[in-house]
Amino acid sequence: MTRKTFAVLGMMCAGCAANVEKRLKQADGVASVAVNLATRTALIEYDEQQTSPEQLKETLGKIGYDLVVEEERNVEAIERQTYTALRNKVGLSWLFALLVMALSMNWIHISSRDAQNQLMLILALLNIVYCGRQFYLNAWRQLMHRSANMDTLVALSTAISFLFSTFNTFWGQSYWGSQGIEWHTYFDASVMIITFVLTGRLLEERAKHGTASAIRALMGLQPKTAHLVDAGQVVDIPLAALQPGDTIEVRPGEKIPVDGTVVGDAVAYIDESMMTGESVAIAKRQGDKVLAGTLLKEVAGTEQKKAECQTFRFRAEEVGQKTVLANIIRMVQEAQGSKAPVQHTVDRIALIFVPAVCGIAIMTFLAWLLVGGHGYLPQAILSAVSVLVIACPCAMGLATPTALMVGIGKAAQKNILIKDATALEQLRRVNALVIDKTGTLTQPTIPTPPTTHTTPTEPTTPTEPTTPTSPTEVLKPHARQAMQALQHQGIEVYMCSGDKDERAKAIAAEAGIEHYRSQVQPQDKEDLVKELQAQGKTVTMVGDGINDSQALARADVSIAMSRGTDVAMDVAQVTLMGDDLRRIPQAISLSKKTVGMIHQNLFWAFIYNLVCIPLAAGVPYLFGLQWQITPMWASALMAFSSVSVVLNSLRLKMTA
């Protein structure tokens, strides 16, 4: 099975995402699909023996979406072009809208009512053809495959208001006027619906750009070119042209382009804070590993080779998508594209939401006719149009993925790599934490070297060395602070150690941990996790991902410590880069804030529909209130609801 993330072009709402996921799941050879509306990606697990990306692309093409499978296609460039085209459409649509509004409000005075209506008809038609054409094309494709999305609602509502207004333009007086019924045209509603929907999409795009800032920052860590040493000459080549075994030169202030091993006598001081979160530059000597994206601060060397020490060289080993940085980027992208459990419920609702709204609109139309008869036909049509417009499911589809994108991206900036949305959601439930001692809670000390005594008047002779300090491990920096923060969050901490009881007790006391187990084996750690789970606790295990693998696999949430080169991506659901244990309570706090944000977004998205659909249908009239949401205001509220959800998610950047 192959697991890969593809960009999907053309998705605009929760209905789009649900349809794309449904179609892909129905394709032969596809095991699982997770479609993310915010990132416009699909994480697909498929059998290469039964299907191919090209076949999946063809499947989606039939319903109007584009799966980007070609490596040479620049998705960012395509999205920039799409954004520019959308911005131009919005500007043109507002021009048409202002002209139609000026005519309908008599700001531009035309003596003949027929001429005024005919001019508005032309402007509205131009707006549909040049600005709203895509709504109709997409709605038609959906209809041909017995599905529906937001484009369906926009196309229906604008078409109904336009066609009804066209009828009134030419036959309004003869049909309605002859019956003594006042009649109007509603070209302004048709134009404003398209204008507000397009404006909402433009604002969404700008807001969603901020939710992806963490990924763009990670991608920006890798330089675009490298200095290749070839036959004694140094030439600049694109990063994509590098091969394993190439010798690469790096100068102070530049970033390491790919993973490799240091060659030569120079000593490089490299800032690896992007991997470990620790700002102190690390000395790298011959044979040491260097990682893509890290920063060369300065170079030193022997007196004889000072001239060669302005730069340092290393041999490329992992290039392209095989570098640690590329793995981290892929991991964050997949995590942002994954689905929280609550999203599956939203997806099921999205599949039936548009057809349900169409049903409500029809019921609204019939109800007005039953109440008022033939004379209420205009009111019935406007009410049905308002329902179709205001119920577009954009906000519902964006509620979860935008919060996840910001939360997981924020975690990556804090050197916390979260594998998927399920892990992020589970972290907030943790109330018991099991932590390994050696290498996780503690680190080894450096032995004190033997000392010798000499006198200045006698030849130097070695004497018996003093007893060296035995390698007496110590707590990692901030370990006690981290344990206190966890306990402050209401989490019970249990330390596991292979040491004898006296030593384990001393370390636990120093770390401020009340519960500990001594002389444990790997099986004992797993048994402790099972014991706590049997008590009804949600347990996270923190270890190094090797001898703690049994317990990590058993825990509700597994957390592995990493030092950059040994990223335990396949071992744990959460990986902490570096040794700072304070990232554990930070991760739990971030989980609580992110899930809280998801619930807020979903609450407002559903409340919006529950409140606004009845108002658009005209329910206030039942209670004697002569007030109703018109199609124009319905489109404005719909656009505002989508943008507000994205902006609310962006608050995580400031609060997390």
Side-chain angles (χ1 to χ4, degrees):
M1 302 298 292
T2 300
R3 182 180 171 92
K4 191 173 181 180
T5 299
F6 298 92
V8 181
L9 304 179
M11 292 194 300
M12 292 297 174
C13 69
C16 294
N19 286 330
V20 167
E21 187 163 301
K22 179 182 177 182
R23 292 290 173 181
L24 288 173
K25 283 181 176 177
Q26 291 173 347
D28 293 337
V30 174
S32 65
V33 181
V35 174
N36 188 310
L37 176 61
T39 59
R40 293 202 180 93
T41 58
L43 178 59
I44 309 173
E45 188 175 8
Y46 62 96
D47 187 346
E48 289 184 321
Q49 303 299 319
Q50 298 186 51
T51 190
S52 67
E54 289 72 23
Q55 289 174 302
L56 297 176
K57 177 184 178 73
E58 185 179 350
T59 298
L60 283 190
K62 293 177 180 177
I63 57 171
Y65 303 102
D66 185 12
L67 191 72
V68 181
V69 300
E70 304 88 350
E71 294 290 342
E72 65 273 11
R73 289 185 72 185
N74 189 323
V75 176
E76 287 189 11
I78 294 172
E79 290 181 343
R80 282 196 299 270
Q81 292 171 1
T82 303
Y83 179 83
T84 301
L86 178 59
R87 186 179 58 192
N88 294 338
K89 283 183 181 179
V90 168
L92 184 60
S93 190
W94 271 110
L95 176 61
F96 290 134
L98 291 174
L99 289 172
V100 170
M101 288 295 295
L103 288 167
S104 65
M105 301 294 291
N106 289 318
W107 297 337
I108 299 176
H109 182 68
I110 296 179
S111 56
S112 169
R113 184 180 184 183
D114 289 341
Q116 183 183 45
N117 287 332
Q118 289 168 16
L119 183 56
M120 286 193 292
L121 185 155
I122 293 171
L123 291 170
L125 183 60
L126 289 173
N127 189 55
I128 288 173
V129 172
Y130 287 103
C131 303
R133 178 176 59 225
Q134 203 61 39
F135 294 123
Y136 297 91
L137 294 176
N138 291 340
W140 177 255
R141 292 192 191 102
Q142 298 294 324
L143 180 62
M144 291 297 96
H145 290 85
R146 293 179 296 178
S147 58
N149 61 4
M150 189 188 81
D151 292 328
T152 306
L153 299 181
V154 175
L156 274 174
S157 58
T158 54
I160 291 170
S161 57
F162 178 81
L163 292 174
F164 181 62
S165 299
T166 300
F167 174 87
N168 285 352
T169 297
F170 296 106
W171 299 285
Q173 184 60 37
S174 61
Y175 185 79
W176 302 109
S178 62
Q179 302 177 58
I181 298 174
E182 185 177 358
W183 60 275
H184 301 279
T185 58
Y186 303 97
F187 292 115
D188 54 343
S190 170
V191 174
M192 291 307 296
I193 289 170
I194 290 175
T195 302
F196 275 126
V197 171
L198 290 175
T199 302
R201 285 187 177 178
L202 186 69
L203 294 175
E204 279 176 37
E205 291 302 311
R206 294 193 63 174
K208 282 191 286 189
H209 186 73
T211 65
S213 60
I215 278 291
R216 288 196 303 274
L218 285 173
M219 290 178 170
L221 291 173
Q222 201 163 25
K224 304 298 182 185
T225 60
H227 309 306
L228 175 67
V229 181
D230 186 17
Q233 300 295 317
V234 179
V235 293
D236 289 350
I237 64 170
L239 212 61
L242 284 178
Q243 299 293 326
D246 286 344
T247 299
I248 301 165
E249 185 175 276
V250 185
R251 295 149 194 170
E254 295 181 341
K255 292 177 180 177
I256 309 297
V258 294
D259 295 356
T261 303
V262 178
V263 296
D265 296 328
V267 178
Y269 290 88
I270 295 180
D271 179 358
E272 293 188 338
S273 58
M274 52 79 60
M275 288 289 181
T276 65
E278 297 160 9
S279 58
V280 178
I282 300 171
K284 298 287 185 176
R285 297 175 173 81
Q286 186 171 7
D288 288 344
K289 300 286 186 183
V290 292
L291 302 175
T294 56
L295 178 66
L296 175 62
K297 302 288 286 186
E298 60 178 317
V299 184
T302 61
E303 289 293 326
Q304 294 84 350
K305 297 192 175 182
K306 277 188 176 179
E308 300 176 13
C309 292
Q310 299 306 310
T311 63
F312 102 105
R313 295 177 177 181
F314 72 97
R315 182 176 60 255
E317 292 182 348
E318 301 291 350
V319 301
Q321 296 302 308
K322 294 183 179 180
T323 66
V324 170
L325 177 60
N327 285 333
I328 290 173
I329 291 172
R330 182 167 58 252
M331 178 180 177
V332 175
Q333 285 177 322
E334 289 187 359
Q336 289 182 329
S338 63
K339 290 188 176 180
V342 68
Q343 182 65 28
H344 295 289
T345 302
V346 176
D347 289 344
R348 286 193 292 270
I349 295 173
L351 278 174
I352 62 171
F353 188 82
V354 173
V357 169
C358 292
I360 294 172
I362 292 171
M363 291 170 60
T364 300
F365 176 79
L366 295 175
W368 275 103
L369 288 184
L370 288 173
V371 170
H374 182 65
Y376 272 62
L377 181 60
Q379 179 65 41
I381 290 175
L382 286 180
S383 298
V385 168
S386 296
V387 169
L388 289 172
V389 174
I390 208 163
C392 288
C394 293
M396 185 172 63
L398 292 168
T400 299
T402 51
L404 283 177
M405 281 188 70
V406 177
I408 291 172
K410 189 73 174 179
Q413 291 176 339
K414 294 175 179 285
N415 295 99
I416 303 166
L417 302 183
I418 299 175
K419 196 167 189 177
D420 55 38
T422 302
L424 183 68
E425 187 167 8
Q426 275 287 86
L427 268 173
R428 73 187 177 99
R429 306 179 191 275
V430 168
N431 52 21
L433 180 140
V434 178
I435 186 167
D436 173 56
K437 178 182 74 71
T438 306
T440 304
L441 187 64
T442 64
Q443 62 187 13
T445 57
I446 301 174
T448 304
T451 59
T452 59
H453 300 280
T454 61
T455 62
T457 58
E458 296 180 2
T460 301
T461 56
T463 61
E464 289 294 321
T466 59
T467 304
T469 305
S470 61
T472 67
E473 58 191 342
V474 294
L475 285 180
K476 288 183 177 178
H478 312 299
R480 183 179 178 88
Q481 185 180 348
M483 298 303 107
Q484 289 174 340
L486 287 167
Q487 292 164 2
H488 183 71
Q489 291 176 333
I491 298 171
E492 294 181 355
V493 181
Y494 296 78
M495 185 193 80
C496 288
S497 171
D499 289 333
K500 293 182 178 179
D501 189 74
E502 183 180 357
R503 177 62 181 157
K505 182 178 181 180
I507 290 290
E510 188 180 355
I513 298 174
E514 181 181 353
H515 309 285
Y516 71 92
R517 297 283 175 92
S518 59
Q519 296 181 301
V520 298
Q521 299 298 318
Q523 182 61 50
D524 299 322
K525 297 176 185 178
E526 181 184 1
D527 290 341
L528 174 58
V529 172
K530 289 162 63 176
E531 177 186 326
L532 294 171
Q533 289 172 330
Q535 297 172 16
K537 299 183 185 297
T538 301
V539 184
T540 185
M541 172 68 193
V542 186
D544 59 14
I546 302 171
N547 62 340
D548 302 312
S549 57
Q550 289 178 247
L552 286 167
R554 176 64 62 179
D556 297 290
V557 182
S558 52
I559 301 177
M561 305 296 294
S562 170
R563 291 290 303 175
T565 54
D566 56 344
V567 180
M569 294 181 185
D570 294 327
V571 178
Q573 295 166 292
V574 180
T575 301
L576 306 182
M577 307 296 287
D579 289 325
D580 195 340
L581 292 168
R582 291 178 297 179
R583 293 187 185 119
I584 302 173
Q586 286 175 359
I588 294 171
S589 176
L590 185 61
S591 167
K592 292 177 180 177
K593 290 179 179 179
T594 303
V595 175
M597 188 65 70
I598 290 172
H599 291 164
Q600 282 182 33
N601 287 346
L602 287 174
F603 173 80
W604 289 115
F606 281 109
I607 286 295
Y608 163 82
N609 281 294
L610 287 175
V611 171
C612 289
I613 288 177
L615 293 178
V619 169
Y621 279 85
L622 297 176
F623 302 96
L625 300 174
Q626 303 296 308
W627 184 84
Q628 184 181 9
I629 295 177
T630 64
M632 184 176 70
W633 283 109
S635 59
L637 287 170
M638 184 274 292
F640 174 75
S641 70
S642 302
V643 176
S644 64
V645 163
V646 181
L647 293 177
N648 191 45
S649 296
L650 286 172
R651 288 197 304 113
L652 271 174
K653 285 188 170 184
M654 297 175 285
T655 61

